[in-house]
Amino acid sequence: MATETTGAPAGAPAPQEKGKQQSKPAPSKTPTTGGDAAGEQKLTHAQLKAKAKAEKAARRAKAKEEAPPAAAAADAKGGKGGKGGGKQDGSQSAGSQQQGKSVPGRRPSVTGRRPSVAIIKEDPRSSIPECFSHVPMAKRIQTSQAHKDVHPAVLAVGQQMATFALKDSIARLEATLLAFKKVIESYETPKGNSLSRHFVPHVLNPQIEYLTECRPMSFSMGNAIRFLKSQVNKFDIDTPEDGAKESLLEFIDIFINERITLAEVVISKNATELIDEDGVVLTYGRHRLVEKTILRAKANGKKFAVSVIDDPYDQGGKELAKTLQRAGIRVFYSPNLGGLRAHLERASNVLLGTEAIFANGSLLAPAGTADVAMAASAANVKVVALCETINFDRERVSVDSLTYNEIDPERCSAESFRLMFDNTHSKYIAGVITEFESGTDFAPAQAILTLLRKREDPTIA
């Protein structure tokens, strides 16, 4: 007895008589051509899926013809995806696809959302020519990106250096040493180690690296750190931790007192002897040693005038002029180098502050100092530099302004950038006053190394 067919759809014709069905063989797999409904009954699952996909493609093509060109292009871009497109809901209308409406629980269409654009901050150094790529530049580093071993006091100093709140080399040196004192006070030697072997590579070096990343290290900082490391290396491996820490703290206090505080007093005292009665002193910008020298000469009862040639970018000379005027000193002010020649005609000598002095006697000073020194030398006006010996570099020489310099981060754009320092050849400098000179004597720049070897304290140098 043959089985009855129960898979016919609702709209199919009634089955034939029972007797006729028994006499016929089994139905063939080839679909009949009697009608659409009968054909759909015999389609396989794969054929049904292909037909639905074709109908969907036809609806999408029709929507592209009716949609504007921009929307059609966006929809065509979103239609890529192969299998992903076949899984969308076939009952969704073409209008909802054009408007980018998403079905609940499904991913929104490409045309219905705004693409996210990542904001990339441009590197300020990207516009610097390749020939100046070796010149460093200060940058502000987020505290979250600093090394985990960097002390909070050092973090604060680094931020102040990067923002030029600490600008002068001696001010940066003193702040660094005071921060190192806090690092030493909080240091505890790990079990199985000694301070002389563990402190420098694992504690002190991360602090130095962070400060250098914030802003290139000044020459005074490099010399002081070298002295501090040599002091640590003198400790024996069996030296008690408390005794070693106390010795380092005392060394830093003595260093600040002798190489910074007392040096400033001695230099300003010796330099006042160069200021002539009723003379005119010319200076460039604002430097701490020059300012203290002028105020000290005024306090000693000398009568003189001061010509201030200002840096048009920094404008520190304007503040110096105001300070000197409040002290009762007659001041001639020029906002830039344009008035240099006129001011040199009445100047009796020139006092310049420096950032550092190289082994060949060249001066590293704020940009514009070399112009003042060369113009004064051409006008037969004596030029004297004021500098502490901690700012001397005994190993390196410099003959141009590109070897050792910094790029001003506040004046660095795609069109131009500015170097912060320049190089002044020793032939334009009559002499240098340091804390080791006395009276009206001053040493030529080329003789500084000999002076240091003869006069420096061997326990420090």
Side-chain angles (χ1 to χ4, degrees), residues 63 111-112 129 268 380 383 386 391 399 414:
T111 59
S268 61
N380 294 322
V383 180
L386 312 181
N391 282 320
V399 295

Side-chain angles (χ1 to χ4, degrees), residues 49-67 75 85 90 92-95 97-98:
K49 185 175 180 181
K51 183 178 180 180
K53 189 173 182 180
E55 293 175 354
K56 183 177 180 181
R59 289 196 303 268
R60 181 172 295 176
K62 185 178 180 181
K64 290 180 182 178
E65 295 177 357
E66 298 176 356
D75 191 37
Q92 186 177 1
S93 65
Q97 292 179 2
Q98 296 175 22

Side-chain angles (χ1 to χ4, degrees), residues 195-206 228-229 232-233:
L195 184 143
S196 60
R197 301 294 183 269
H198 180 269
F199 179 74
V200 171
H202 298 283
V203 179
L204 187 60
N205 284 346
L228 180 60
K229 288 184 175 181
V232 175
N233 294 333

Side-chain angles (χ1 to χ4, degrees), residues 385-401:
L386 312 181
C387 185
E388 301 92 339
T389 55
I390 191 61
N391 282 320
F392 282 62
D393 193 311
R394 309 181 185 190
E395 300 175 355
R396 291 174 285 188
V397 298
S398 178
V399 295
D400 55 46
S401 300

Side-chain angles (χ1 to χ4, degrees), residues 362-386:
S362 298
L363 306 185
L364 181 71
T369 304
D371 299 282
V372 175
M374 288 187 289
S377 179
N380 294 322
V381 180
K382 182 171 59 178
V383 180
V384 178
L386 312 181

Side-chain angles (χ1 to χ4, degrees), residues 405-438:
N405 214 319
E406 294 182 44
I407 295 176
D408 189 349
E410 298 179 358
R411 297 173 181 86
C412 179
S413 63
E415 293 77 19
S416 62
F417 65 93
R418 177 176 181 264
L419 297 177
M420 297 184 62
F421 306 104
D422 62 18
N423 183 276
T424 305
H425 198 276
S426 59
K427 67 180 180 180
Y428 302 114
I429 307 298
V432 179
I433 295 181
T434 68
E435 64 267 30
F436 293 147
E437 299 302 318
S438 60

